Coordinates of all heavy atoms in Angstrom, one line a residue:
M1 N 11.3 5.6 -3.5 CA 9.9 5.8 -3.8 C 9.2 4.4 -3.8 O 9.8 3.4 -4.0 CB 9.7 6.4 -5.2 CG 10.1 7.9 -5.2 SD 9.0 8.9 -4.1 CE 10.0 10.3 -3.9
A2 N 7.9 4.5 -3.6 CA 7.1 3.2 -3.6 C 5.7 3.5 -3.8 O 5.3 4.7 -3.9 CB 7.3 2.6 -2.2
F3 N 4.9 2.5 -3.9 CA 3.5 2.6 -4.0 C 2.9 2.5 -2.6 O 3.5 2.0 -1.7 CB 2.9 1.6 -4.9 CG 3.0 2.0 -6.4 CD1 4.2 1.9 -7.0 CD2 1.9 2.4 -7.1 CE1 4.3 2.3 -8.4 CE2 2.0 2.8 -8.4 CZ 3.2 2.7 -9.1
V4 N 1.7 3.1 -2.4 CA 1.1 3.3 -1.1 C -0.4 2.8 -1.2 O -1.1 3.2 -2.1 CB 1.2 4.7 -0.6 CG1 0.5 4.9 0.7 CG2 2.6 5.2 -0.5
I5 N -0.8 2.1 -0.2 CA -2.2 1.6 -0.1 C -3.0 2.6 0.8 O -2.6 2.8 1.9 CB -2.3 0.2 0.3 CG1 -1.5 -0.7 -0.6 CG2 -3.8 -0.3 0.4 CD1 -1.5 -2.2 -0.2
T6 N -4.1 3.1 0.3 CA -4.9 4.1 1.0 C -6.2 3.6 1.5 O -6.5 2.4 1.5 CB -5.1 5.3 0.1 OG1 -5.8 5.0 -1.0 CG2 -3.7 5.9 -0.3
S7 N -7.1 4.5 2.0 CA -8.3 4.1 2.8 C -9.3 3.1 2.1 O -9.9 2.4 2.9 CB -9.0 5.4 3.2 OG -9.5 6.1 2.1
P8 N -9.5 3.2 0.8 CA -10.5 2.2 0.3 C -10.1 0.8 0.6 O -11.0 -0.1 0.6 CB -10.4 2.5 -1.2 CG -10.0 3.9 -1.3 CD -8.9 4.1 -0.2
C9 N -8.9 0.5 0.9 CA -8.5 -0.9 1.2 C -9.1 -1.4 2.6 O -9.4 -2.6 2.7 CB -7.0 -1.0 1.4 SG -6.4 -2.7 1.8
I10 N -9.4 -0.4 3.4 CA -9.9 -0.8 4.8 C -11.2 -1.6 4.7 O -11.4 -2.6 5.4 CB -10.0 0.4 5.7 CG1 -8.6 1.0 6.0 CG2 -10.7 0.1 7.0 CD1 -8.5 2.3 6.7
K11 N -12.1 -1.2 3.8 CA -13.4 -1.9 3.7 C -13.2 -3.1 2.8 O -14.0 -4.1 2.9 CB -14.5 -1.0 3.2 CG -14.9 0.0 4.2 CD -16.2 0.7 3.8 CE -16.6 1.6 4.9 NZ -17.4 2.8 4.4
E12 N -12.3 -3.1 1.9 CA -12.3 -4.1 0.8 C -11.3 -5.3 1.1 O -11.7 -6.4 1.0 CB -11.8 -3.4 -0.5 CG -11.9 -4.3 -1.7 CD -13.4 -4.6 -2.1 OE1 -14.3 -3.8 -1.8 OE2 -13.6 -5.6 -2.8
R13 N -10.1 -5.0 1.3 CA -9.0 -6.0 1.6 C -9.1 -7.1 0.6 O -9.2 -8.3 1.0 CB -9.1 -6.5 3.0 CG -8.5 -5.4 3.9 CD -8.4 -5.9 5.3 NE -9.7 -6.0 6.0 CZ -10.0 -6.4 7.2 NH1 -9.0 -6.8 7.9 NH2 -11.2 -6.4 7.7
A14 N -9.1 -6.8 -0.7 CA -9.3 -7.8 -1.7 C -8.2 -8.8 -1.9 O -8.3 -9.9 -2.4 CB -9.7 -7.1 -3.1
A15 N -7.0 -8.3 -1.6 CA -5.7 -9.1 -1.7 C -5.2 -9.3 -3.1 O -4.3 -10.0 -3.3 CB -5.9 -10.4 -1.0
D16 N -5.9 -8.7 -4.1 CA -5.4 -8.9 -5.5 C -4.0 -8.4 -5.6 O -3.2 -8.9 -6.4 CB -6.3 -8.1 -6.5 CG -7.8 -8.6 -6.5 OD1 -8.3 -8.8 -5.4 OD2 -8.3 -8.8 -7.6
C17 N -3.7 -7.3 -4.9 CA -2.3 -6.7 -4.9 C -1.3 -7.8 -4.5 O -0.2 -7.9 -5.2 CB -2.3 -5.5 -4.0 SG -2.7 -5.8 -2.3
M18 N -1.6 -8.5 -3.5 CA -0.6 -9.5 -3.0 C -0.3 -10.6 -4.1 O 0.8 -11.0 -4.3 CB -1.1 -10.2 -1.8 CG -0.9 -9.5 -0.5 SD -1.3 -10.5 0.9 CE 0.2 -11.3 1.2
D19 N -1.4 -10.9 -4.8 CA -1.2 -12.0 -5.9 C -0.3 -11.5 -7.0 O 0.3 -12.4 -7.6 CB -2.6 -12.3 -6.4 CG -3.5 -13.0 -5.4 OD1 -3.0 -13.5 -4.4 OD2 -4.7 -13.0 -5.6
V20 N -0.3 -10.2 -7.3 CA 0.5 -9.8 -8.5 C 1.9 -9.2 -8.1 O 2.7 -9.0 -9.0 CB -0.3 -8.7 -9.3 CG1 -1.6 -9.3 -9.8 CG2 -0.6 -7.5 -8.5
C21 N 2.1 -8.9 -6.9 CA 3.4 -8.3 -6.5 C 4.6 -9.3 -6.7 O 4.6 -10.4 -6.2 CB 3.4 -7.9 -5.0 SG 5.0 -7.1 -4.6
P22 N 5.5 -8.9 -7.6 CA 6.6 -9.8 -7.9 C 7.7 -10.0 -6.8 O 8.5 -10.9 -6.9 CB 7.3 -9.2 -9.2 CG 6.9 -7.7 -9.1 CD 5.6 -7.6 -8.4
V23 N 7.7 -9.1 -5.9 CA 8.7 -9.1 -4.8 C 8.1 -9.4 -3.4 O 8.8 -9.3 -2.4 CB 9.6 -7.9 -4.8 CG1 10.4 -7.8 -6.1 CG2 8.7 -6.6 -4.6
D24 N 6.8 -9.8 -3.4 CA 6.2 -10.1 -2.1 C 6.4 -9.1 -1.0 O 6.7 -9.4 0.1 CB 6.7 -11.5 -1.6 CG 6.1 -12.6 -2.4 OD1 5.0 -12.5 -3.0 OD2 6.8 -13.7 -2.4
C25 N 6.1 -7.8 -1.3 CA 6.4 -6.8 -0.3 C 5.1 -6.2 0.3 O 5.1 -5.2 0.9 CB 7.2 -5.7 -0.9 SG 6.4 -4.7 -2.2
I26 N 4.0 -7.0 0.1 CA 2.7 -6.5 0.6 C 2.2 -7.4 1.7 O 2.2 -8.6 1.6 CB 1.6 -6.5 -0.5 CG1 2.1 -5.6 -1.6 CG2 0.3 -6.0 0.1 CD1 1.2 -5.5 -2.8
S27 N 1.9 -6.8 2.9 CA 1.5 -7.6 4.1 C 0.2 -7.1 4.6 O -0.2 -5.9 4.5 CB 2.5 -7.3 5.2 OG 3.8 -7.8 4.8
L28 N -0.6 -8.0 5.2 CA -1.9 -7.7 5.8 C -1.7 -7.2 7.3 O -1.1 -7.9 8.1 CB -2.8 -8.9 5.8 CG -4.2 -8.7 6.4 CD1 -4.9 -7.6 5.8 CD2 -4.9 -10.0 6.4
G29 N -2.2 -6.0 7.5 CA -2.2 -5.5 8.9 C -3.5 -5.7 9.6 O -4.3 -6.5 9.0
A30 N -3.8 -5.1 10.7 CA -5.0 -5.3 11.4 C -6.2 -4.8 10.6 O -7.3 -5.4 10.7 CB -4.9 -4.5 12.7
D31 N -6.1 -3.7 9.8 CA -7.2 -3.2 9.1 C -7.1 -3.0 7.6 O -8.0 -2.7 6.9 CB -7.6 -1.8 9.7 CG -6.5 -0.8 9.6 OD1 -5.3 -1.2 9.3 OD2 -6.7 0.4 9.9
Q32 N -5.8 -3.2 7.1 CA -5.6 -3.0 5.6 C -4.3 -3.7 5.2 O -3.6 -4.2 6.1 CB -5.5 -1.5 5.3 CG -4.3 -0.9 5.9 CD -4.0 0.5 5.3 OE1 -4.3 1.5 5.9 NE2 -3.3 0.5 4.1
Y33 N -4.1 -3.7 3.9 CA -2.8 -4.2 3.4 C -1.8 -3.0 3.4 O -2.2 -1.9 3.2 CB -3.0 -4.8 2.0 CG -3.6 -6.2 2.1 CD1 -5.0 -6.3 2.0 CD2 -2.8 -7.3 2.2 CE1 -5.6 -7.6 2.0 CE2 -3.4 -8.6 2.3 CZ -4.8 -8.7 2.2 OH -5.3 -10.0 2.3
Y34 N -0.5 -3.4 3.5 CA 0.5 -2.4 3.4 C 1.6 -2.8 2.5 O 1.9 -4.0 2.4 CB 1.1 -2.2 4.8 CG 0.2 -1.6 5.9 CD1 -0.4 -2.5 6.8 CD2 0.0 -0.3 5.9 CE1 -1.2 -1.9 7.8 CE2 -0.9 0.3 6.9 CZ -1.5 -0.6 7.8 OH -2.3 -0.1 8.8
I35 N 2.2 -1.8 1.9 CA 3.4 -2.0 1.0 C 4.7 -1.6 1.7 O 4.8 -0.5 2.2 CB 3.2 -1.2 -0.3 CG1 2.0 -1.8 -1.1 CG2 4.5 -1.3 -1.2 CD1 1.6 -0.9 -2.3
D36 N 5.6 -2.5 1.7 CA 6.9 -2.2 2.3 C 7.8 -1.3 1.3 O 8.2 -1.9 0.3 CB 7.7 -3.5 2.7 CG 8.9 -3.2 3.5 OD1 9.5 -2.1 3.4 OD2 9.4 -4.1 4.2
S37 N 7.9 -0.1 1.6 CA 8.6 0.8 0.7 C 10.1 0.5 0.5 O 10.7 0.9 -0.5 CB 8.4 2.3 1.2 OG 9.0 2.5 2.4
D38 N 10.7 -0.2 1.4 CA 12.1 -0.6 1.3 C 12.3 -1.7 0.3 O 13.4 -1.9 -0.2 CB 12.6 -1.1 2.6 CG 12.8 0.0 3.6 OD1 12.9 1.2 3.2 OD2 12.9 -0.2 4.8
I39 N 11.2 -2.4 0.0 CA 11.3 -3.6 -0.9 C 10.6 -3.3 -2.3 O 11.0 -3.8 -3.3 CB 10.7 -4.8 -0.3 CG1 11.4 -5.1 1.0 CG2 10.8 -6.0 -1.2 CD1 10.8 -6.3 1.8
C40 N 9.6 -2.5 -2.3 CA 8.8 -2.2 -3.5 C 9.7 -1.7 -4.6 O 10.6 -0.9 -4.4 CB 7.8 -1.1 -3.2 SG 6.9 -0.5 -4.6
I41 N 9.5 -2.3 -5.8 CA 10.4 -1.9 -7.0 C 9.6 -1.0 -8.0 O 10.1 -0.8 -9.1 CB 10.9 -3.2 -7.7 CG1 9.7 -4.1 -8.2 CG2 11.9 -4.0 -6.8 CD1 10.1 -5.2 -9.1
D42 N 8.5 -0.5 -7.5 CA 7.8 0.5 -8.3 C 7.3 0.0 -9.7 O 7.2 0.7 -10.6 CB 8.7 1.7 -8.6 CG 8.6 2.8 -7.5 OD1 7.8 2.6 -6.6 OD2 9.3 3.8 -7.6
C43 N 6.9 -1.3 -9.7 CA 6.5 -1.8 -11.0 C 5.0 -1.4 -11.4 O 4.7 -1.4 -12.5 CB 6.5 -3.4 -10.9 SG 5.3 -4.1 -9.9
G44 N 4.2 -1.1 -10.4 CA 2.9 -0.6 -10.7 C 1.8 -1.7 -10.8 O 0.6 -1.4 -11.1
A45 N 2.2 -3.0 -10.7 CA 1.3 -4.1 -11.0 C 0.1 -4.0 -10.0 O -1.1 -4.3 -10.3 CB 2.0 -5.4 -10.9
C46 N 0.4 -3.7 -8.7 CA -0.6 -3.7 -7.7 C -1.7 -2.6 -8.0 O -2.9 -2.7 -7.7 CB 0.0 -3.5 -6.3 SG 1.0 -2.0 -6.2
E47 N -1.2 -1.5 -8.5 CA -2.1 -0.3 -8.7 C -3.2 -0.7 -9.7 O -4.3 -0.5 -9.6 CB -1.3 0.9 -9.3 CG -2.1 2.1 -9.6 CD -1.3 3.2 -10.2 OE1 -0.3 2.9 -10.9 OE2 -1.6 4.4 -10.0
S48 N -2.8 -1.4 -10.8 CA -3.7 -1.9 -11.8 C -4.6 -3.0 -11.3 O -5.8 -3.1 -11.7 CB -2.9 -2.4 -13.0 OG -2.0 -1.5 -13.4
A49 N -4.1 -3.8 -10.4 CA -4.9 -5.0 -9.9 C -6.0 -4.6 -8.8 O -6.9 -5.3 -8.7 CB -4.0 -6.0 -9.3
C50 N -5.8 -3.5 -8.1 CA -6.7 -3.2 -7.0 C -8.1 -2.8 -7.5 O -8.2 -1.9 -8.3 CB -6.1 -2.0 -6.2 SG -7.2 -1.5 -4.9
P51 N -9.1 -3.5 -7.0 CA -10.5 -3.3 -7.5 C -11.1 -2.1 -7.0 O -12.1 -1.6 -7.5 CB -11.2 -4.6 -7.0 CG -10.5 -5.0 -5.8 CD -9.0 -4.7 -6.1
V52 N -10.5 -1.4 -6.0 CA -11.1 -0.2 -5.4 C -10.2 1.0 -5.6 O -10.4 2.0 -4.9 CB -11.5 -0.4 -3.9 CG1 -12.6 -1.4 -3.8 CG2 -10.3 -0.9 -3.1
E53 N -9.2 0.9 -6.4 CA -8.3 2.0 -6.7 C -7.7 2.6 -5.4 O -7.7 3.8 -5.3 CB -9.0 3.1 -7.6 CG -9.4 2.5 -8.9 CD -10.1 3.5 -9.8 OE1 -10.1 4.7 -9.5 OE2 -10.6 3.1 -10.9
A54 N -7.3 1.8 -4.5 CA -6.7 2.2 -3.3 C -5.2 2.5 -3.4 O -4.7 3.0 -2.4 CB -7.0 1.2 -2.2
I55 N -4.6 2.1 -4.5 CA -3.1 2.2 -4.5 C -2.6 3.3 -5.4 O -3.1 3.4 -6.6 CB -2.6 0.8 -5.0 CG1 -3.1 -0.3 -4.0 CG2 -1.0 0.8 -4.9 CD1 -2.6 -1.7 -4.4
Y56 N -1.7 4.1 -4.9 CA -1.1 5.2 -5.7 C 0.4 5.2 -5.5 O 0.9 4.7 -4.5 CB -1.6 6.5 -5.1 CG -3.1 6.8 -5.2 CD1 -3.9 6.3 -4.2 CD2 -3.6 7.5 -6.2 CE1 -5.3 6.5 -4.3 CE2 -5.0 7.7 -6.3 CZ -5.8 7.2 -5.4 OH -7.2 7.4 -5.5
H57 N 1.0 5.7 -6.5 CA 2.5 6.0 -6.3 C 2.6 7.1 -5.2 O 1.8 8.0 -5.1 CB 3.1 6.5 -7.6 CG 4.6 6.6 -7.5 ND1 5.3 7.7 -7.2 CD2 5.5 5.6 -7.7 CE1 6.6 7.4 -7.1 NE2 6.8 6.2 -7.5
E58 N 3.7 6.9 -4.5 CA 3.9 7.8 -3.3 C 3.8 9.3 -3.7 O 3.3 10.1 -3.0 CB 5.3 7.6 -2.8 CG 5.6 8.2 -1.4 CD 6.9 7.7 -0.9 OE1 7.4 6.6 -1.3 OE2 7.5 8.4 -0.1
D59 N 4.2 9.6 -4.9 CA 4.1 11.0 -5.4 C 2.7 11.5 -5.8 O 2.5 12.7 -6.1 CB 5.1 11.2 -6.6 CG 6.5 11.2 -6.3 OD1 6.8 11.4 -5.1 OD2 7.3 11.0 -7.2
E60 N 1.8 10.5 -5.9 CA 0.5 10.8 -6.5 C -0.6 10.5 -5.5 O -1.8 10.5 -5.9 CB 0.3 10.1 -7.8 CG 1.2 10.5 -8.9 CD 1.2 9.6 -10.1 OE1 0.6 8.6 -10.1 OE2 1.9 9.9 -11.0
V61 N -0.3 10.3 -4.2 CA -1.3 10.0 -3.2 C -2.2 11.3 -3.1 O -1.7 12.4 -2.9 CB -0.7 9.7 -1.9 CG1 -1.7 9.5 -0.8 CG2 0.1 8.4 -2.0
P62 N -3.6 11.1 -3.1 CA -4.4 12.3 -3.0 C -4.2 13.0 -1.6 O -3.9 12.3 -0.6 CB -5.9 11.7 -3.0 CG -5.7 10.4 -3.7 CD -4.3 9.9 -3.4
E63 N -4.5 14.3 -1.6 CA -4.2 15.0 -0.4 C -4.8 14.4 0.9 O -4.2 14.4 1.9 CB -4.7 16.5 -0.6 CG -3.9 17.5 0.2 CD -4.2 18.9 -0.2 OE1 -4.2 19.2 -1.4 OE2 -4.6 19.7 0.7
G64 N -6.0 14.0 0.8 CA -6.7 13.5 2.0 C -6.2 12.1 2.4 O -6.7 11.6 3.5
E65 N -5.3 11.5 1.7 CA -4.8 10.2 2.0 C -3.3 10.2 2.3 O -2.8 9.1 2.5 CB -5.0 9.3 0.7 CG -6.5 9.2 0.2 CD -7.3 8.3 1.1 OE1 -6.8 7.3 1.7 OE2 -8.6 8.5 1.1
I66 N -2.8 11.3 2.4 CA -1.3 11.5 2.7 C -0.9 10.7 3.9 O 0.2 10.1 4.0 CB -0.9 12.9 2.8 CG1 -1.1 13.7 1.5 CG2 0.5 13.1 3.3 CD1 -0.1 13.4 0.4
E67 N -1.7 10.6 4.9 CA -1.4 10.0 6.2 C -1.0 8.5 6.0 O -0.4 7.9 6.8 CB -2.5 10.1 7.2 CG -3.8 9.3 6.8 CD -5.0 9.6 7.6 OE1 -5.7 10.5 7.2 OE2 -5.2 8.9 8.6
Y68 N -1.5 7.9 4.9 CA -1.3 6.5 4.7 C 0.2 6.2 4.3 O 0.6 5.0 4.4 CB -2.3 5.9 3.6 CG -3.6 5.8 4.2 CD1 -4.5 6.9 4.3 CD2 -4.0 4.6 4.8 CE1 -5.7 6.8 4.9 CE2 -5.2 4.5 5.4 CZ -6.1 5.6 5.5 OH -7.3 5.5 6.1
I69 N 0.9 7.2 3.9 CA 2.3 7.0 3.6 C 3.0 6.7 4.9 O 3.8 5.7 5.1 CB 2.9 8.3 2.9 CG1 2.3 8.5 1.6 CG2 4.5 8.1 2.8 CD1 2.7 9.8 0.9
Q70 N 2.8 7.5 5.9 CA 3.4 7.3 7.2 C 2.8 6.1 7.9 O 3.5 5.4 8.6 CB 3.2 8.6 8.1 CG 3.9 8.5 9.5 CD 5.4 8.3 9.3 OE1 6.0 8.9 8.5 NE2 5.9 7.3 10.0
K71 N 1.5 5.8 7.7 CA 0.9 4.7 8.4 C 1.6 3.4 7.9 O 1.9 2.5 8.8 CB -0.6 4.6 8.0 CG -1.4 3.6 8.8 CD -2.9 3.7 8.4 CE -3.6 2.6 9.2 NZ -5.0 2.4 8.7
A72 N 2.0 3.3 6.7 CA 2.7 2.1 6.2 C 4.1 2.1 6.8 O 4.6 1.0 7.2 CB 2.8 2.2 4.6
K73 N 4.8 3.2 6.8 CA 6.1 3.2 7.4 C 6.1 2.7 8.8 O 6.9 2.0 9.3 CB 6.8 4.6 7.3 CG 7.2 5.0 5.9 CD 7.9 6.4 6.0 CE 8.3 7.0 4.7 NZ 8.1 6.5 3.4
S74 N 5.1 3.2 9.6 CA 5.0 2.9 11.0 C 4.7 1.4 11.1 O 5.2 0.7 12.0 CB 3.9 3.7 11.7 OG 4.2 5.0 11.6
F75 N 3.9 0.8 10.2 CA 3.6 -0.6 10.3 C 4.8 -1.4 10.2 O 5.0 -2.4 11.0 CB 2.5 -0.9 9.2 CG 2.3 -2.4 9.1 CD1 1.4 -3.1 10.0 CD2 2.9 -3.2 8.0 CE1 1.2 -4.4 9.9 CE2 2.6 -4.5 7.9 CZ 1.8 -5.2 8.8
F76 N 5.7 -1.1 9.2 CA 6.8 -1.9 9.0 C 7.9 -1.7 10.1 O 8.7 -2.6 10.4 CB 7.4 -1.8 7.6 CG 6.5 -2.4 6.6 CD1 5.6 -1.7 5.8 CD2 6.5 -3.8 6.4 CE1 4.8 -2.3 4.9 CE2 5.6 -4.5 5.5 CZ 4.8 -3.7 4.7
E77 N 7.9 -0.5 10.6 CA 8.9 -0.2 11.8 C 8.5 -1.1 13.0 O 9.3 -1.6 13.7 CB 8.8 1.3 12.1 CG 9.7 2.1 11.2 CD 9.4 3.6 11.3 OE1 8.7 4.0 12.3 OE2 9.8 4.4 10.5
M78 N 7.2 -1.3 13.1 CA 6.7 -2.1 14.3 C 7.1 -3.6 14.0 O 7.3 -4.3 15.0 CB 5.2 -2.0 14.4 CG 4.8 -0.8 15.2 SD 3.0 -0.9 15.7 CE 2.2 -1.3 14.2
C79 N 7.2 -4.0 12.7 CA 7.5 -5.4 12.4 C 9.0 -5.7 12.6 O 9.4 -6.8 12.7 CB 7.1 -5.7 11.0 SG 5.3 -5.6 10.7
D80 N 9.8 -4.6 12.5 CA 11.3 -4.8 12.6 C 11.7 -5.4 13.9 O 11.1 -5.1 14.9 CB 12.0 -3.5 12.3 CG 12.0 -3.2 10.8 OD1 11.7 -4.1 10.0 OD2 12.2 -2.0 10.4
Ligands
LIG101 FE1 4.7 -4.9 -5.4 FE2 5.1 -3.6 -7.8 FE3 3.1 -2.9 -6.1 FE4 5.6 -2.3 -5.5 S1 4.5 -1.5 -7.2 S2 4.0 -3.2 -4.1 S3 6.7 -4.1 -6.3 S4 3.3 -4.9 -7.2

C-alpha cells in the first residue's frame, strides 16, 4: 500500500510533499509529482503537507481519481 498523488497536483505542483517525505520517494514527472509505491512507508506526512489535498491513501482515492494509481505505477516502470 502507498499514498497516491491525484489531479489537483497538475495545476499546483507545490512540492511541499517532497520536503516532508522521510524516504525521498516522491519524484517530479512531466505534469505532476508521483509517489513510488515500492518505497513509500505510508507515514502520511505528504497528505497533511499538500496545500491542494491532492494526496490520498491508495485505499481512499476518490472514484474519479482512481486512474492516478496506475499513472504512478506506469511512471516508475518507465524510470526502471
Ligand atoms: Fe513519503 Fe510518507 Fe508520503 Fe509515503 S506517505 S510518500 S513515505 S511522505
Side-chain angles (χ1 to χ4, degrees):
M1 288 298 161
F3 278 72
V4 178
I5 302 176
T6 63
S7 64
C9 180
I10 291 174
K11 285 191 178 152
E12 188 70 23
R13 286 185 286 179
D16 298 47
C17 56
M18 281 188 87
D19 293 340
V20 298
C21 180
V23 292
D24 285 336
C25 69
I26 303 176
S27 300
L28 178 60
D31 59 347
Q32 67 166 99
Y33 284 91
Y34 293 102
I35 294 170
D36 188 339
S37 60
D38 288 340
I39 301 173
C40 174
I41 57 170
D42 272 357
C43 73
C46 57
E47 181 184 30
S48 309
C50 179
V52 291
E53 298 182 9
I55 306 179
Y56 296 88
H57 189 268
E58 193 173 335
D59 287 343
E60 295 168 356
V61 175
E63 207 168 308
E65 304 280 332
I66 293 288
E67 68 191 89
Y68 285 85
I69 298 173
Q70 186 55 48
K71 192 177 174 191
K73 286 187 188 356
S74 299
F75 173 77
F76 287 104
E77 280 166 12
M78 281 192 310
C79 294
D80 285 343

